Amino acid sequence: MTVPVFVEFEPADDCPCAGCAERRRTLARAGLRDGGHPAAHGARRALVLAAAAGTVLASPAAEGLHPTGPAPRPAADAEPAQVPQGQVSGLYGGAGGGRARPAGEPRSTTRAQIIARAKSWIAARVPYNMNGFWSDGYREDCSGFVSMAWGLGSNQWTGSLSRYAVRITKDDLKPGDILLYHNRANPSAGSHVTIFGGWADGAHKKYVAYELAPKQARKRVTPYAYWSNADKYVPYRYRNLADGGVPDTGMPDIDLPDGMPDSFPGLGHFGPGADNSWVTRLGKLLVARGAGAFYHAGPGPRWTSADRDATRAFQLAQGWRGSEADGIPGPDTWAYLTGGKGRDVGDRGARGGGFPGVRHFRPGHSSTYVTQLGRQLVKKGYGKHYHSGPGPRWTEADRRNVEAFQRAQGWRGREADGYPGPETWRRLFQ
């Protein structure tokens, strides 16, 4: 009788599917089982009997059969399980975008577009799968989610997203920014990125996070900065943000269903006698698009002539006339405001002295308006932070000089954030 030969067989313990990954974590927490090796080391070995004829009895893992039962899931209020992520690649994993575009060439987008794209994956319940790609070509993991929302045209990872961004502070966070943790020593251990959707409390200890984590894309209130490794999460802002559409209200629309804030609520919510939160939202959208000079107080929930005049100014800026520019928002006006489309109020007459729009004054942006602003600041005696220039590229020196001018007007908080709006522009150039 031929003596059977025992050989060691290494099952596919590094299988990246969500089921196998979660099973490995469960076994690691359980320690030794049935006298086997520690599962946390990923070295479970099965003894497979090989007959003299060479027949091998393969384990289910070796045949590609994954656990079919439900994988353990974290409690509702716990942080999502840590999972690996993919590397830099083109859409659908191709090599076309394997090398990150230079940081100076990001595509322009708006806050509204970022949030709208994030919500589209949440509405579609896109599952977490670092080896999978959604219909738009972006990888189904945390960094693929941000790559999609920012419209990068390639799949980045936590180690490369910062190339497309500028670092900001906690106080600067606005919808569409991100909180990024990249563990350089071991990228698969805890690295994660989430999109900031707005503060969920007045103390700024909780915020609404848009993210892709096991098991699917989601929106939820999250402790700042994140459930664990909170001190390692760094706020970043997309480098070429046009900054239209989603104003910094300080509080997110968490009381409304996903998608509702960007859907036109109907004509009945606007016009004389209207008094509701949609009027407030309209006013804030208009202010973000350059119509702040029409408001002496507010915006607020009660419809006033300021809302009408600001709406009409925005409609006229799009080239609309007659009934299309009556000062009452319709579906098209609303879509332009929430989607960051069209021209800001003052765009067409900016060279004659009108405010050119907020998008010209953001990190990394270059335009003649930045030079014009800088020269006027120097002329008014607020140029001490310039070591050279002023020039066409927006820098921290521009922001600090604008902030000094705003504080000289007696403004504080968000009114003195260093970014010019219509009223700052008017006072500076009057």
Side-chain angles (χ1 to χ4, degrees):
M1 177 179 177
T2 304
V3 178
V5 178
F6 288 90
V7 293
E8 286 189 336
F9 180 82
E10 178 89 21
D13 269 357
D14 59 348
C15 174
C17 84
C20 287
E22 189 60 42
R23 296 280 177 170
R24 287 196 298 275
R25 284 190 293 273
T26 302
L27 291 173
R29 290 191 292 268
L32 298 177
R33 296 203 176 188
D34 300 325
H37 297 288
H41 293 163
R44 289 183 297 124
R45 297 179 182 273
L47 291 180
V48 178
L49 179 62
T55 302
V56 177
L57 302 176
S59 68
E63 292 293 334
L65 302 178
H66 307 306
T68 57
R73 292 174 184 168
D77 294 330
E79 77 167 295
Q82 295 177 358
V83 291
Q85 59 173 317
Q87 298 292 313
V88 175
S89 72
L91 296 182
Y92 297 103
R99 184 181 65 84
R101 259 194 334 271
E105 303 176 16
R107 300 172 181 175
S108 177
T109 192
T110 67
R111 296 187 185 282
Q113 291 168 336
I114 292 172
I115 298 300
R117 286 191 286 257
K119 287 182 176 180
S120 70
W121 271 32
I122 293 170
R125 300 180 181 275
V126 174
Y128 186 95
N129 181 3
M130 70 172 239
N131 293 317
F133 299 88
W134 195 238
S135 58
D136 54 14
Y138 287 98
R139 190 176 57 245
E140 299 168 11
D141 61 10
C142 64
S143 48
F145 178 70
V146 172
S147 299
M148 175 276 303
W150 278 4
L152 298 182
S154 61
N155 287 293
Q156 301 301 313
W157 73 312
T158 55
S160 61
L161 281 171
S162 61
R163 302 177 191 174
Y164 298 86
V166 292
R167 186 166 178 171
I168 59 176
T169 67
K170 176 184 177 181
D171 292 337
D172 290 330
L173 278 167
K174 296 180 181 179
D177 299 334
I178 64 171
L179 288 163
L180 173 66
Y181 168 41
H182 178 63
N183 186 353
R184 296 179 181 274
N186 187 358
S188 65
S191 296
H192 187 53
V193 61
T194 179
I195 296 175
F196 179 84
W199 294 110
D201 64 348
H204 291 187
K205 293 183 178 180
K206 297 180 181 179
Y207 68 100
V208 171
Y210 296 89
E211 63 181 341
L212 183 52
K215 59 179 180 174
Q216 65 187 34
R218 68 183 189 180
K219 169 188 176 183
R220 69 182 298 185
V221 175
T222 304
Y224 184 85
Y226 204 67
W227 302 89
S228 66
N229 298 311
D231 59 326
K232 297 181 176 66
Y233 278 79
V234 179
Y236 283 95
R237 176 165 296 156
Y238 183 53
R239 183 177 294 276
N240 199 24
L241 185 68
D243 199 38
V246 178
D248 179 18
T249 63
M251 295 289 287
D253 295 305
I254 60 175
D255 56 329
L256 297 172
D258 284 335
M260 187 73 171
D262 293 338
S263 301
F264 181 61
L267 290 171
H269 290 84
F270 308 103
D275 190 344
N276 57 74
S277 60
W278 292 105
V279 177
T280 304
R281 178 159 172 75
L282 170 71
K284 291 180 176 179
L285 288 169
L286 287 165
V287 169
R289 298 300 299 274
F294 292 94
Y295 292 94
H296 302 293
R302 186 172 183 81
W303 179 270
T304 67
S305 60
D307 297 297
R308 180 200 63 207
D309 294 343
T311 301
R312 186 169 186 271
F314 179 77
Q315 292 167 334
L316 290 172
Q318 313 316 310
W320 304 340
R321 297 295 182 268
S323 60
E324 294 181 343
D326 59 1
I328 303 295
D332 290 339
T333 301
W334 191 261
Y336 270 60
L337 285 170
T338 59
K341 303 177 183 177
R343 299 183 179 93
D344 289 351
V345 175
D347 271 0
R348 307 185 89 183
R351 295 188 186 278
F355 179 59
V358 295
R359 69 178 183 275
H360 296 288
F361 310 103
R362 288 295 177 263
H365 192 87
S366 295
S367 76
T368 57
Y369 299 120
V370 179
T371 304
Q372 182 184 2
L373 172 73
R375 289 174 177 171
Q376 190 68 7
L377 286 166
V378 172
K379 182 178 179 180
K380 291 280 189 175
Y382 295 93
K384 71 175 184 178
H385 294 292
Y386 288 123
H387 300 293
S388 62
R393 186 174 183 83
W394 179 265
T395 67
E396 179 64 11
D398 295 297
R399 191 197 69 77
R400 294 180 69 184
N401 285 328
V402 172
E403 180 184 6
F405 175 79
Q406 291 169 331
R407 287 185 173 276
Q409 314 308 306
W411 302 340
R412 296 295 182 268
R414 261 180 271 167
E415 294 180 344
D417 61 1
Y419 295 99
E423 184 61 17
T424 299
W425 191 267
R426 186 186 70 80
R427 293 195 183 196
L428 191 58
F429 285 91
Q430 68 181 4

